[in-house]
């Protein structure tokens, strides 16, 4: 029986061809078919590294569904399928996710030959916390999807990594200022691994000013510091907010829900405070007897 087919995800350079690993070249040379976004671009890469061109198959956002069916047939025939994108890691803001999911679902082995990715490159040189981070890729371009995602990004406590096209960087920085304020720290990583690599570190306001004064060219990653921890609301904050909602006519049930949401505290805590009996003043003691006498 022939060996089962396997899918190999191969990372390729994001600008500097010296970053192509020997293992990546070998994986492409061994593959029966290389799935890629652009046959001319990948053809040049293969030529540069002396890899005899196996068959190339286009997988892009328009063809991924059909290509997945065709590539699963190759896996079923026992072929080794390598997947690359134009640059960096496939399936990271690039085609591949659907093919990988289908291969996993069908039970084929999936391997990775890791390579550069602009996300991790920008994150590690940003100087911002790397212990926990989220990758957001490209924000939705417009509409409610963009508004909602911006709100999520603004309240995210972990470092956020965003991709952006050069002609949209100014717009995105302006929108980030709108939701995060001017002072949030940000890093713009431009043209990583290339001749004109540049890293700008500052506040959102400073980054926006910088982009305004220099025409943004090349490829950009925006790395945004996480939102500062909100200060825990005190009991007085909660009681004050409850009073305001009740004074405006809200039922206790609605006031509890609204206050819990507004102050980001547990509904149970708000409920207990809402139902706490009011504190009474100390009862007046009969004159002539001290506490100590009473206690004796
Ligand atoms: N798959 C790629 C990866 O692993 O990074 C990302 C592909 S995505 C279509 C292209 C975006 O990645 C660009 O718009 C830019 O935000 C970012 N990018 C790619 N190469 C870059 C580089 N050399 N410097 C900075 N950003 C880069």
């Amino acid at each position: 029986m022939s060996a089962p087919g396997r899918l190999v995800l191969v990372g390729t350079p994001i600008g500097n061809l010296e970053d192509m690993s020997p293992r990546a070249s070998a994986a492409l040379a061994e593959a029966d078919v290389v799935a890629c976004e652009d046959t001319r671009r990948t053809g040049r890469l293969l030529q540069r590294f002396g890899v005899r061109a196996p068959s190339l198959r286009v997988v892009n956002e328009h063809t991924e569904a059909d290509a997945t069916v065709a590539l699963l047939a190759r896996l079923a025939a026992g072929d080794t399928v390598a997947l690359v994108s134009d640059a960096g890691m496939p399936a990271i803001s690039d085609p591949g996710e659907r093919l990988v999911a289908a291969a996993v679902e069908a039970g084929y082995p999936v391997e990775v030959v890791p390579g550069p990715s602009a996300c991790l490159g920008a994150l590690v040189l940003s100087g911002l916390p790397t212990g926990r981070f989220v990758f957001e890729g490209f924000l939705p371009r417009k509409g409610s999807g963009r508004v909602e995602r911006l709100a999520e990004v603004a309240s995210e406590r972990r470092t956020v990594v965003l991709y952006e096209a050069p002609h949209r960087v100014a717009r995105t920085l302006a929108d980030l200022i709108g939701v995060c304020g001017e002072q949030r720290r940000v890093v713009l990583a431009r043209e990583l691994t290339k001749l004109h690599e540049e890293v700008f570190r500052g506040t959102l306001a400073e980054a926006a000013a910088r982009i305004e004064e220099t025409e943004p060219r090349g490829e950009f990653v925006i790395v945004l510091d996480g939102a500062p921890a909100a200060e825990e609301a005190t009991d007085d904050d909660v009681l004050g907010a409850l009073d305001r909602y009740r004074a405006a006519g809200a039922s206790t049930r609605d006031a509890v829900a609204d206050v819990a949401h507004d102050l980001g505290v547990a509904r149970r805590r708000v409920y207990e405070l809402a139902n706490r009996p009011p504190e009474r003043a100390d009862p007046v003691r009969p004159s002539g007897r001290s506490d100590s006498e009473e206690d004796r």
Side-chain angles (χ1 to χ4, degrees), residues 103-124:
V104 170
E105 173 76 23
Y108 294 107
V110 181
E111 295 165 18
V112 67
V113 179
S117 181
C119 166
L120 288 183
L123 175 71
V124 296

Side-chain angles (χ1 to χ4, degrees), residues 26-173:
L28 296 177
E30 282 165 19
D32 298 297
V33 55
V34 174
C36 61
E37 286 185 87
D38 181 297
T39 51
R40 273 192 300 179
R41 193 170 167 138
T42 298
R44 281 200 300 273
L45 185 77
L46 295 174
Q47 200 175 18
R48 165 73 174 71
F49 290 94
V51 175
R52 194 182 47 81
S55 83
L56 295 177
R57 165 91 208 198
V58 174
V59 180
N60 59 34
E61 56 182 318
H62 308 294
T63 66
E64 190 167 353
D66 288 344
T68 294
V69 175
L71 291 167
L72 281 183
R74 298 291 298 256
L75 292 171
D79 284 346
T80 297
V81 176
L83 173 68
V84 295
S85 65
D86 278 352
M89 288 301 292
I92 295 297
S93 292
D94 270 338
E97 183 181 317
R98 183 195 289 250
L99 174 61
V100 175
V104 170
E105 173 76 23
Y108 294 107
V110 181
E111 295 165 18
V112 67
V113 179
S117 181
C119 166
L120 288 183
L123 175 71
V124 296
L125 58 65
S126 68
L128 295 174
T130 57
R132 299 180 71 206
F133 70 94
V134 287
F135 173 63
E136 281 286 347
F138 293 95
L139 290 173
R141 289 196 168 190
K142 52 188 178 185
S144 59
R146 183 169 174 92
V147 173
E148 282 161 22
R149 194 71 65 81
L150 280 162
E152 284 174 21
V153 164
S155 60
E156 175 57 61
R157 298 279 302 280
R158 295 164 290 185
T159 303
V160 180
V161 182
L162 297 163
Y163 283 168
E164 194 49 284
H167 64 282
R168 295 182 56 88
V169 170
R171 170 83 260 156
T172 292
L173 289 175

